């Protein structure tokens, strides 16, 4: 009997699984700076500055400031300002606000993202097979309300429910985010659900820890994929392969 015949729900990660970043972070920061007459910031310094600033903000105010009741725009304003400062650019408040508004608007739209061509067909196929489809993502509300719909991934036609860290106040790899997903799906049993993602730490391990089935996508040929396979995780190149796997894979006990 295939795994598909035993499933009631499939949950899917977003970035790296359904969509990807388009271009580099520096592209959007450069465009924002140029829009107010500033020179283009150095890409490498900007990338490193953002990475460090984001990590720091995520530790101090997790889930995009959810527990601190920090407005989403304020969380990002602090993060972006710190990114510029770490990269060596300390703009005056008025100039920074103009640059920030451009950046915030860009990343709140579909512009920096591209959708993988197999994403929409896979989600629609899963729903046609009678599965409840959920999105589980470490992201803020704009993914749910703006970005996914703008990319053609709509609630009601491609997915049934979403669990977004900035909305829920819990984020991967905390297994609770998957427990919320099972509740949202109608209290589906863990062994009747499958999670698909691209991170061993954030997707596969926490989903398996509560008894869900799980598989990993390796769209970008990451060196880590060999270790994933050695650990026993199913690793597939894309959602076309995932669809075939779901149809053909014989079910094994959830603990194996």
């Amino acid at each position: 009997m295939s795994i598909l015949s035993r499933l009631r729900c499939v949950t899917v990660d977003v970035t790296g699984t359904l969509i990807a970043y388009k271009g580099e972070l520096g592209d959007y920061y450069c465009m924002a700076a140029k829009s107010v007459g500033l020179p283009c910031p150095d890409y490498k310094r900007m990338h490193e500055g953002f990475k460090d600033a984001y990590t720091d903000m995520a530790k101090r105010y997790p889930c995009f400031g959810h527990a601190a009741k920090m407005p989403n725009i304020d969380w990002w304003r602090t993060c972006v300002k710190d990114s510029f400062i770490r990269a060596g650019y300390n703009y005056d408040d008025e100039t920074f606000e103009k640059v920030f508004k451009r950046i915030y608007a860009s990343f709140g739209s579909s512009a920096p993202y591209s959708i993988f061509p197999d994403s929409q067909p896979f989600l629609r196929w899963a729903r046609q097979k009678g599965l409840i489809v959920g999105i589980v993502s470490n992201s803020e509300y704009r993914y749910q309300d703006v970005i996914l719909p703008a990319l053609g991934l709509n609630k009601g036609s491609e997915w049934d429910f979403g669990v977004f860290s900035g909305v829920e106040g819990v984020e991967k790899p905390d297994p609770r985010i998957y427990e919320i997903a099972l509740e949202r799906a109608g209290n589906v049993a863990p062994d009747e659900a499958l999670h698909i993602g691209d991170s061993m730490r954030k997707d596969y391990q926490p989903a398996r820890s509560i008894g869900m089935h799980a598989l990993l996508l390796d769209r970008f040929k990451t060196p880590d994929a060999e270790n994933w396979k050695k650990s026993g995780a199913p690793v597939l190149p894309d959602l076309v392969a995932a669809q075939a796997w779901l149809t053909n894979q014989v079910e094994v006990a959830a603990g194996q």
Side-chain angles (χ1 to χ4, degrees):
M1 187 178 288
S2 73
I3 284 182
L4 179 63
S5 66
R6 300 287 295 175
L7 293 178
R8 292 176 56 204
C9 172
V10 60
T11 59
V12 189
D13 168 54
V14 176
T15 309
T17 303
L18 297 176
I19 70 175
Y21 286 109
K22 198 162 56 181
E24 296 181 52
L25 178 102
D27 294 330
Y28 301 96
Y29 280 57
C30 182
M31 284 190 292
K34 282 187 170 180
S35 72
V36 297
L38 294 169
C40 188
D42 179 88
Y43 273 40
K44 187 174 187 301
R45 281 161 48 199
M46 205 68 248
H47 176 78
E48 291 301 319
F50 174 79
K51 190 167 69 172
D52 292 343
Y54 185 92
T55 300
D56 184 57
M57 281 296 288
K59 283 179 181 173
R60 288 196 293 147
Y61 303 104
C63 301
F64 306 95
H66 184 277
K69 294 184 168 51
M70 180 184 289
N72 191 68
I73 192 168
D74 291 347
W75 193 96
W76 280 112
R77 182 182 283 108
T78 304
C79 183
V80 172
K81 189 172 184 65
D82 191 28
S83 301
F84 276 114
I85 291 171
R86 288 171 187 260
Y89 303 97
N90 198 353
Y91 305 135
D92 65 77
D93 290 346
E94 185 180 352
T95 302
F96 168 74
E97 192 61 26
K98 290 176 183 175
V99 173
F100 169 70
K101 283 181 178 176
R102 175 71 179 260
I103 291 169
Y104 188 73
S106 292
F107 283 95
S109 73
S110 61
Y113 310 97
S114 60
I115 181 172
F116 294 111
D118 56 7
S119 295
Q120 189 184 69
F122 175 81
L123 297 178
R124 289 188 174 185
W125 169 81
R127 293 184 81 242
Q128 285 167 1
K129 288 293 181 181
L131 296 175
I132 302 162
V133 175
I135 302 293
V136 179
S137 176
N138 282 357
S139 57
E140 33 107 336
Y141 77 93
R142 293 183 298 171
Y143 261 51
Q144 173 179 251
D145 297 348
V146 181
I147 296 166
L148 290 180
L151 292 167
L153 299 177
N154 295 284
K155 186 175 182 179
S157 55
E158 281 75 40
W159 49 282
D160 298 292
F161 70 92
V163 184
F164 298 87
S165 63
V167 177
E168 306 294 338
V170 59
E171 62 189 6
K172 299 186 282 186
D174 190 331
R176 284 184 300 152
I177 199 167
Y178 295 97
E179 292 171 347
I180 291 169
L182 295 178
E183 290 169 10
R184 200 75 39 93
N187 293 313
V188 168
D191 65 355
E192 295 179 316
L194 166 80
H195 180 66
I196 303 173
D198 68 330
S199 169
M200 173 62 82
R201 186 178 73 87
K202 294 181 180 180
D203 294 301
Y204 187 83
Q205 290 175 336
R208 294 291 290 132
S209 77
I210 67 164
M212 292 174 69
H213 299 278
L215 66 85
L216 290 166
L217 293 193
D218 178 32
R219 291 191 182 273
F220 303 107
K221 309 252 183 259
T222 173
D224 292 337
E226 284 308 310
N227 289 329
W228 296 348
K229 291 175 186 174
K230 287 175 185 173
S231 75
V235 181
L236 302 171
D238 53 36
L239 288 169
V240 174
Q243 183 173 324
W245 182 88
L246 275 166
T247 306
N248 300 318
Q249 182 71 13
V250 176
E251 184 187 23
V252 293
Q256 293 180 352

